[in-house]
Amino acid sequence: QVQLVESGGGLVQAGGSLRLSCAASGRTFSSLSIGWFRQAPGKERELLGAIRWTDDSTYYADSVQGRFSISRDNTKSTAYLQMNSLNPEDTAVYYCAGKTGISLTSASRAYNYWGQGTQVTVSS
């Protein structure tokens, strides 16, 4: 069993930055690949990026590449999503998710464990 808890969301002005955290408990964190997703009202859940547990390789969607960065600290059982140059189109609920698979481009259905989400609102 794995429990994930996101934190760090909030209100930020366009052009600003936020860092989201994903704290894990239960299963050994270092054996989980972590994906970051977001979902805006009326839209599908979108894969933003992922970090693989085997080698810490990362993947980023085109929509966030160059602005967002994923990292992890296994000593703290925590993954991070650093978000820079935010714009109002980034407004959504952001989720972290865990899986044991190694594919970096998996959709949400491939993930076994999910946090409750944290709201990010970017004002113009």
Side-chain angles (χ1 to χ4, degrees):
Q1 293 296 116
V2 175
Q3 296 81 45
L4 302 174
V5 179
E6 303 96 338
S7 63
L11 176 65
V12 64
Q13 291 188 8
S17 299
L18 285 173
R19 188 176 76 158
L20 306 184
S21 298
C22 175
S25 62
R27 188 169 184 166
T28 301
F29 176 76
S30 60
S31 68
L32 292 176
S33 297
I34 299 295
W36 284 95
F37 297 80
R38 69 185 179 190
Q39 189 166 24
K43 299 186 67 177
E44 296 293 315
R45 187 163 296 186
E46 175 188 12
L47 172 67
L48 304 175
I51 184 165
R52 190 159 58 199
W53 71 268
T54 52
D55 59 3
D56 283 349
S57 295
T58 54
Y59 161 81
Y60 300 98
D62 290 343
S63 60
V64 303
Q65 193 159 15
R67 299 190 298 126
F68 290 11
S69 180
I70 296 170
S71 61
R72 67 192 299 161
D73 185 343
N74 290 339
T75 67
K76 298 180 179 179
S77 296
T78 301
Y80 304 95
L81 178 66
Q82 178 68 46
M83 305 186 293
N84 301 320
S85 301
L86 289 164
N87 58 65
E89 288 68 42
D90 296 315
T91 296
V93 177
Y94 283 69
Y95 300 88
C96 67
K99 65 172 184 175
T100 57
I102 62 172
S103 175
L104 290 173
T105 58
S106 297
S108 60
R109 61 184 175 272
Y111 286 82
N112 307 107
Y113 312 106
W114 289 86
Q116 292 297 114
T118 185
Q119 176 71 46
V120 172
T121 302
V122 185
S123 65
S124 59

